[in-house]
Amino acid sequence: MSLRELAANLGLSVTTVSRALADYPDVAEETRRRVRQEAERIGYVPNATARRLQKGRADAIGVAAPNGFGAIEDAHLSAAFAGAWSRLAELDQDLLLLPATDVTYLTGAEQPTSQSFVRAVEERRVDGMVLIRPYRDDPRIAAMRRAGLPFVLLGAEMRAEPDLPAVGTDNEAAAALVCERLVHHGHRRLVCIGPAEPYDFTLSRFEHLAAAAIRHGLTARMDRAPLGEDGGREATERLLAGASGPPPPLVYLTNRMTIGGLTALARSPWVVGRHVAVIGFGDGPTLRHGLPATTVVHSPMFDMARHAVDALIALRDGRPFEVIRRWAPSLILRQSDGPPQNLSPLPS
């Protein structure tokens, strides 16, 4: 059944029927009701492409996220995908998932090199973009601004640009929770291990942990390694190789790096929760059910992603919307941290 035939059945013009199906306000409500009722009766399905051209909108939102090996296993990323997807489904908007890792910013160039991202922005294949885990000074932000594409940053603080629509964890509060926990147990030092890549969220965590450590009388050392399990393991192995006794408390900035660090510690003579305290940022099944289970900083990423989508839709539609930039974290206490103990290592 075509649009023309539907119009003929109702005795209306094709233009009126088309505008009624698109819910234009200049069509009387009774006419819109009749059109919808007849369309449902005969099983008429509008041509989605034609409707989008008519409205000048794609009815699709881009979600751009790091896409390297193991990215989907990252607890924060998977929660972000699920949150954005669930909200877009409720709003009857399509989701276009785009890679966002391949950026020539790392080699000093100005433009993002991910061609699917470039096409989505420049050709307006989406009505807006949720960019997850942007870099600091990320060129993709400038690209979206040049194209006039609405966007929201998710998993970023962007302290230097407070006017940016950025939704992220309150990393200052998270750092205070970690340092207060360590001081409570009598620790005087910590080593923070995080990604070498210039993600804004990890740079922010580094900076807030360093400041909080000073306020709490802790000596802090910051180590970086490639993001992922291998990076966490390698950084921990380097630390263990240079120590004559158990290491100070270890704070990992992503759940995948925490898992890698725990792997290295499991091969050492030092027992987590007995000889060495471990706190991670980000949760996951491995950390919840490990022996011992890992104390973690939890962020409400699922809800943050849904809020980011709402903010983006409001930006797209030109509606006022108050973006909640800082979301309160919580410290989930388990068995991986505790007071320092001068105990002998396990026998080899």
Side-chain angles (χ1 to χ4, degrees):
M1 176 70 68
S2 69
L3 182 66
R4 190 176 299 279
E5 291 170 310
L6 175 61
N9 286 357
L10 292 163
L12 299 170
S13 70
V14 171
T15 299
T16 298
V17 171
S18 175
R19 295 179 72 82
L21 289 171
D23 282 329
Y24 277 88
D26 60 350
V27 180
E29 176 57 34
E30 175 60 22
T31 301
R32 282 184 279 172
R33 186 194 64 76
R34 284 182 57 214
V35 170
R36 288 194 296 267
Q37 189 177 53
E38 179 65 11
E40 183 176 351
R41 185 186 72 80
I42 65 176
Y44 172 76
V45 179
N47 183 292
T49 302
R51 288 187 65 186
R52 287 167 179 169
L53 287 172
Q54 184 184 49
K55 292 192 295 183
R57 277 204 331 224
D59 282 338
I61 296 298
V63 175
N67 62 308
F69 177 76
I72 198 66
E73 298 167 11
D74 187 292
H76 277 180
L77 289 182
S78 60
F81 297 147
W85 196 351
S86 70
R87 186 62 181 131
L88 288 168
E90 292 170 1
L91 296 171
D92 197 25
Q93 299 290 298
D94 291 340
L95 179 150
L96 181 62
L97 186 59
L98 298 162
T101 295
D102 185 15
V103 180
T104 54
Y105 164 74
L106 297 177
T107 58
E110 300 243 345
Q111 296 291 329
T113 58
S114 172
Q115 290 305 305
S116 58
F117 183 90
V118 171
R119 287 193 299 270
V121 171
E122 295 183 351
E123 299 174 12
R124 298 305 287 262
R125 296 187 176 188
V126 294
D127 298 322
M129 189 77 70
V130 176
L131 178 58
I132 303 177
R133 287 187 175 175
Y135 295 111
R136 192 164 286 182
D137 303 318
D138 197 311
R140 290 165 295 198
I141 296 172
M144 291 185 289
R145 279 173 162 164
R146 285 194 300 271
L149 184 72
F151 65 90
V152 173
L153 309 177
L154 178 59
E157 185 171 354
M158 296 295 182
R159 277 188 291 166
E161 298 186 79
D163 294 332
L164 278 174
V167 177
T169 304
D170 186 338
N171 286 317
E172 183 175 14
L177 289 173
V178 170
C179 290
E180 288 166 7
R181 178 69 173 173
L182 295 177
V183 169
H184 170 76
H185 281 313
H187 293 286
R188 292 292 176 263
R189 297 185 297 154
L190 71 90
V191 174
C192 179
I193 296 175
E197 296 86 350
Y199 294 111
D200 179 79
F201 83 102
T202 52
L203 291 173
S204 173
R205 287 176 183 173
F206 269 125
E207 292 157 1
H208 284 301
L209 277 166
I214 293 172
R215 290 195 302 271
H216 288 81
L218 293 165
T219 300
R221 168 180 161 188
M222 308 292 169
D223 282 358
R224 295 181 180 179
L227 177 63
E229 292 84 356
D230 287 344
R233 175 182 53 78
E234 291 165 5
T236 306
E237 287 174 346
R238 288 196 302 268
L239 178 67
L240 294 171
S244 57
L250 304 178
V251 179
Y252 296 90
L253 296 190
T254 74
N255 73 309
R256 293 179 61 200
M257 297 193 83
T258 308
I259 293 168
L262 291 172
T263 301
L265 289 167
R267 297 169 180 168
S268 79
W270 310 112
V271 178
V272 173
R274 181 183 178 192
H275 303 118
V276 56
V278 171
I279 298 176
F281 276 74
D283 207 357
T286 301
L287 302 179
R288 285 194 295 272
H289 301 294
L291 294 175
T294 307
T295 294
V296 297
V297 177
H298 170 75
S299 300
M301 182 56 75
F302 183 88
D303 293 333
M304 290 162 62
R306 289 174 59 86
H307 179 75
V309 167
D310 285 338
L312 181 59
I313 296 298
L315 281 172
R316 182 198 68 182
D317 296 343
R319 293 185 285 105
F321 188 89
E322 184 177 353
V323 178
I324 302 173
R325 291 179 58 92
R326 300 289 172 269
W327 290 65
S330 57
L331 187 64
I332 301 177
L333 302 178
R334 297 184 181 132
Q335 295 80 48
S336 67
D337 71 302
Q341 299 185 45
N342 296 316
L343 302 176
S344 302
L346 295 180
S348 57

